Amino acid sequence: MTGALNVIEAGPEHAEQVVDVIHRSFGARQILDPPSTAMDETVESVAEVLGSAGGLLVERRGQPMGALLFDESRQGLLGLRRVSVDPELQARGVASAMVGVAEDTAEERGKDGIWLHVREELPETVQFWTRRSYLPVGREGPLIAFAKTLWLSREVPTPDLMKDLARRVERLLHRGDLLVLSGDLGAGKTTFTQGLGDAMGVRGPITSPTFVLAREHPSLVDGPSLVHVDAYRLGSPDEIDDIDLDAVAQNAVTVVEWGDGMAEQLNDSWLWVRIEVRGPRPIDPLGTPHEGDLDDVQGEDIDPRVVTIKPRGVRWAGVPLRSTVLADSSD
């Protein structure tokens, strides 16, 4: 079969096609105990869901190939139900296409993430969702609850707005959290960290720790301290162990600049923050880029930054990242 997949937003008028795909998909599965209730779906029950929460239908040349139903019952999250692919049309990218559109739909609806249930007796299905960065966050009988927090990217044109972005991120942070910062020299990683420190109420000043590798900034407000690490001069991930962060990391928020491939071993969950410069990077009078550049330049010398924040690990599953960071972004 040739031709592109067409993923459409399904409405009540598509209920007959959707329920047919659901029945064919779930009917071909192994016998489960207790059995799935998907076979109880009717055109009427599916039409009701499609008329309220909505869903997706995948077609190729007019032939229905896959479908799913949305669930709006959890605040800030978009649920996926009855994820179905015609058993005779497997391994054609149908499920992956639906997931991609579902994630776009969640973003368009202002959701922070996605959740769904997967039967533990279906290891291939579990593996499918795991490969797409969905994480198990709970269990309800034979059902494994999976969740994924959506990442975000936004333009940050000035140092003040970079610090404001960091202050918004700080609202989500707890003791023991890890942030891995990446970006070119002079992109603004230290500026971002300064915004975090301001919001956390730690002792300053916060400057690039390049020559000391790590600095601990104790809290002035009975909160967690901020541990600021620069991994730029480390030759391998093993060298980060020499800094001996274990003694303080559990009771601190740890920020590691140049931490890609280095700092992830410190925690099983982290926030990955990538700062990209759109335009020529500012250079100091000696011709050497340095991390303070975003603070030092003014006016037309400032090039917009694009900051991308991606959650990694169970700690960030279900966290309202987008709604917190992007709330009142015009202020």
Side-chain angles (χ1 to χ4, degrees), residues 76-77 106 110-114 148-150 318-324:
L77 299 174
K111 304 297 185 181
D112 286 299
I114 291 178
K148 182 178 182 178
T149 298
L150 299 175
V319 171
L321 176 65
R322 293 181 60 84
S323 59
T324 300

Side-chain angles (χ1 to χ4, degrees), residues 276-313:
E276 299 175 89
V277 181
R278 296 295 171 91
R281 287 188 291 115
I283 302 296
D284 72 13
L286 298 178
T288 303
H290 58 89
E291 194 55 53
D293 285 327
L294 186 58
D295 285 327
D296 296 339
V297 295
Q298 300 293 331
E300 67 274 6
D301 294 327
I302 297 179
D303 295 301
R305 270 65 173 163
V306 174
V307 180
T308 301
I309 304 175
K310 294 185 177 182
R312 295 285 188 264

Side-chain angles (χ1 to χ4, degrees), residues 53 70-81 106 109-118 135 137-140 143-148 317-318:
F70 291 136
D71 186 320
E72 294 266 18
S73 63
R74 301 189 185 187
Q75 184 175 2
L77 299 174
L78 183 65
L80 308 183
R81 299 178 57 246
R109 295 189 184 185
K111 304 297 185 181
D112 286 299
I114 291 178
W115 68 271
L116 74 154
H117 287 134
V118 178
L135 299 168
V137 294
R139 184 179 293 270
E140 299 176 20
L143 299 175
I144 302 173
F146 276 81
K148 182 178 182 178

